[in-house]
């Protein structure tokens, strides 16, 4: 880091300083802020005047922990590496002419600690309207709890959270949900034990579970999410039938908009459909609006009715080697 006193920036007129700031990238703003508390205060003050500026932040505890800041046009991604040869390396990525990422590597002897410092500095100077966190549970297992404790000091809630890793500790996931509130999206992509109990059954956003071995029928009934996606579960066809009957009686999932769940026995679909239903013509399309305001459609399928007039349209589709039950909830006039 160059000496912050090498150029008398603060002796310049404010309008000139602001013009300099206008040309700086988030990389430079964060570097600038880490040179002194005075610089950090000035950067924060400058950004606070730009009321129309909107930034989102993504951070992850991957092998090279990163912080990504996105403005209106480009992602700026800082990666913390233990490989000294990568220090200062830069990379520019562009996908389909839209998703643009400028990436830089910074060497550290303690990647977790310096990642925390980077997150803290970014949070101090920028105002973010969306937070995304990728938690790689098996990369720094001894630091998982301290990572959660740190995040709790930085933000009241996270909008999007994904759990990854070949193995995941039940206690680490439980500790996270007992301390951090997630608003929009939760994806549990780690394998947890058969005895795991999801501690936030009242979570209302999109809940996606890749390894659903731990999802029991009783847990499934208690979920309050607007959208539920479950793969690799052990839920039986009889239990799926019971789930649909409970839904029809308005005894569970009153706020559910869309359900996707694997079918354990594709050869006995009649067990699932042992309930009042109507076949939908293949040219009829049902369209529903999800909690994120996006629309989703199903064509054809089977209709079931809830006792308050809502309709669940069911369709069976294959995903790799799993047959899925998909249900879209709409109100048909």
């Amino acid at each position: 880091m160059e000496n912050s006193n090498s150029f008398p920036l603060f002796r310049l007129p404010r309008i000139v300083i602001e013009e300099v700031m206008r040309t700086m990238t988030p990389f430079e703003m964060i570097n600038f802020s880490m040179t002194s508390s005075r610089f950090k205060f000035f950067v924060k003050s400058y950004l606070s005047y730009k009321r129309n500026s909107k930034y989102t932040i993504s951070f992850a505890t991957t092998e090279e922990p990163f912080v990504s800041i996105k403005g209106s046009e480009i992602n700026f991604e800082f990666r913390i590496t233990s490989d000294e040869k990568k220090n200062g390396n830069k990379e520019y990525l562009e996908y389909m002419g839209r998703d643009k990422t400028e990436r830089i590597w910074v060497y550290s002897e303690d990647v977790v600690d310096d990642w925390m410092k980077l997150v803290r500095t970014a949070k101090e100077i920028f105002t973010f309207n969306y937070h995304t966190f990728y938690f790689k549970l098996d990369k720094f297992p001894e630091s998982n709890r301290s990572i959660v404790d740190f995040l709790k000091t930085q933000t009241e809630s996270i909008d999007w959270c994904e759990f990854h890793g070949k193995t995941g500790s039940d206690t680490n996931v439980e500790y996270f949900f007992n301390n951090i509130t997630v608003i929009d999206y939760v994806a549990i992509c780690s394998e947890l034990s058969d005895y795991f109990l999801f501690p936030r059954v009242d979570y209302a956003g999109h809940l996606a579970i890749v390894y659903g071995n731990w999802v029991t029928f009783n847990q499934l009934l208690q979920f309050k999410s607007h959208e539920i996606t479950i793969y690799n579960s052990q839920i039986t066809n009889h239990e799926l039938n019971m789930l649909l009957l409970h839904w029809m009686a308005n005894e569970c999932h009153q706020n559910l908009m869309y359900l996707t769940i694997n079918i354990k026995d594709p050869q006995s679909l009649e067990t699932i459909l042992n309930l009042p239903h109507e076949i939908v013509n293949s040219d009829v399309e049902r369209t529903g609006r999800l909690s994120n305001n996006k629309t989703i459609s199903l064509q054809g399928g089977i209709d079931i009715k809830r006792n308050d007039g809502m309709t669940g349209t069911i369709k069976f589709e294959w995903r790799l080697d799993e047959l899925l039950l998909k249900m879209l909830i709409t109100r048909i006039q």
Side-chain angles (χ1 to χ4, degrees):
M1 188 76 66
E2 292 184 3
N3 188 337
S4 61
N5 295 318
S6 60
F7 182 75
L9 180 65
F10 291 108
R11 295 180 184 176
L12 297 174
R14 183 178 183 88
I15 191 171
V16 176
I17 299 175
E18 290 182 356
E19 189 61 33
V20 172
M21 296 293 299
R22 192 173 290 113
T23 65
M24 296 176 71
T25 67
F27 290 142
E28 294 164 329
M29 288 184 182
I30 287 179
N31 247 352
F32 190 58
S33 299
M34 295 179 90
T35 59
S36 76
S37 58
R38 187 184 180 192
F39 282 10
K40 182 190 297 182
F41 176 80
F42 185 85
V43 173
K44 186 175 181 180
S45 299
Y46 167 76
L47 290 171
S48 68
Y49 285 120
K50 296 178 63 178
R51 298 178 186 273
N52 60 342
S53 297
K54 294 181 179 179
Y55 296 94
T56 65
I57 185 171
S58 300
F59 36 90
T61 57
T62 48
E63 185 172 351
E64 293 181 335
F66 69 80
V67 175
S68 179
I69 298 172
K70 183 177 182 180
S72 59
E73 298 180 356
I74 191 168
N75 288 309
F76 294 91
E77 184 179 295
F78 305 74
R79 285 187 172 263
I80 310 296
T81 180
S82 58
D83 184 353
E84 195 168 2
K85 295 178 181 178
K86 287 187 176 182
N87 188 45
N89 285 0
K90 293 183 179 180
E91 185 177 49
Y92 181 80
L93 306 172
E94 186 171 328
Y95 178 71
M96 300 289 288
R98 296 192 310 270
D99 297 329
K100 302 174 183 179
T101 299
E102 188 174 328
R103 182 178 292 162
I104 187 169
W105 279 263
V106 179
Y107 168 71
S108 171
E109 295 181 354
D110 188 337
V111 294
V112 173
D113 185 62
D114 283 337
W115 172 80
M116 290 181 180
K117 291 177 182 176
L118 185 58
V119 173
R120 184 183 297 111
T121 301
K123 288 285 294 175
E124 284 176 349
I125 65 175
F126 290 92
T127 299
F128 298 107
N129 58 11
Y130 204 88
H131 297 72
T132 300
F133 179 47
Y134 302 94
F135 201 172
K136 202 76 184 302
L137 295 165
D138 55 357
K139 285 304 176 185
F140 308 101
E142 295 181 356
S143 300
N144 282 344
R145 185 163 290 217
S146 62
I147 289 169
V148 174
D149 291 340
F150 165 73
L151 291 179
K152 189 177 180 180
T153 67
Q154 298 302 304
T155 181
E156 295 180 357
S157 62
I158 289 174
D159 300 280
W160 181 298
C161 182
E162 297 184 16
F163 297 86
H164 293 272
K166 293 182 179 179
T167 59
S169 167
D170 293 11
T171 55
N172 284 328
V173 178
E174 289 169 0
Y175 188 75
F176 177 91
F177 282 109
N178 286 332
N179 287 276
I180 304 290
T181 298
V182 184
I183 299 173
D184 285 343
Y185 181 80
V186 168
I188 302 177
C189 307
S190 296
E191 294 187 53
L192 302 174
S193 79
D194 293 343
Y195 308 102
F196 177 70
L197 295 174
F198 188 58
R200 293 298 302 273
V201 292
D202 60 339
Y203 167 68
H206 182 181
L207 176 61
I209 301 167
V210 175
Y211 299 99
N213 55 289
W214 53 270
V215 179
T216 64
F217 179 63
N218 286 335
Q219 283 204 80
L220 181 57
L221 285 180
Q222 294 175 41
F223 291 158
K224 299 295 190 296
S225 295
H226 293 112
E227 186 174 353
I228 300 172
T229 304
I230 303 174
Y231 303 123
N232 300 296
S233 80
Q234 296 301 307
I235 299 295
T236 67
N237 288 25
H238 174 69
E239 288 171 330
L240 286 178
N241 171 260
M242 294 297 295
L243 172 70
L244 296 177
L245 288 170
H246 279 292
W247 179 85
M248 294 170 71
N250 212 5
E251 295 172 350
C252 69
H253 299 300
Q254 286 88 353
N255 298 317
L256 184 65
M257 298 176 178
Y258 191 58
L259 169 69
T260 300
I261 188 169
N262 67 288
I263 296 171
K264 190 175 181 183
D265 183 6
Q267 305 304 318
S268 60
L269 297 183
E270 67 277 2
T271 301
I272 300 174
L273 297 176
N274 184 23
L275 43 69
H277 65 272
E278 297 178 2
I279 305 296
V280 180
N281 290 334
S282 59
D283 60 345
V284 174
E285 185 176 73
R286 307 280 195 229
T287 301
R289 189 171 296 277
L290 304 180
S291 57
N292 59 7
N293 216 31
K294 292 183 179 180
T295 58
I296 191 165
S297 299
L298 288 181
Q299 194 158 350
I302 296 163
D303 278 350
I304 61 175
K305 296 286 186 179
R306 196 163 69 183
N307 62 12
D308 63 353
M310 299 298 288
T311 297
T313 300
I314 297 171
K315 196 164 186 181
F316 302 107
E317 294 182 358
W318 285 95
R319 172 187 175 267
L320 302 178
D321 60 348
E322 277 192 317
L323 183 63
L324 304 177
L325 180 153
K326 296 187 174 183
M327 183 169 74
L328 176 67
I329 290 88
T330 57
R331 183 177 292 278
I332 301 175
Q333 302 300 330

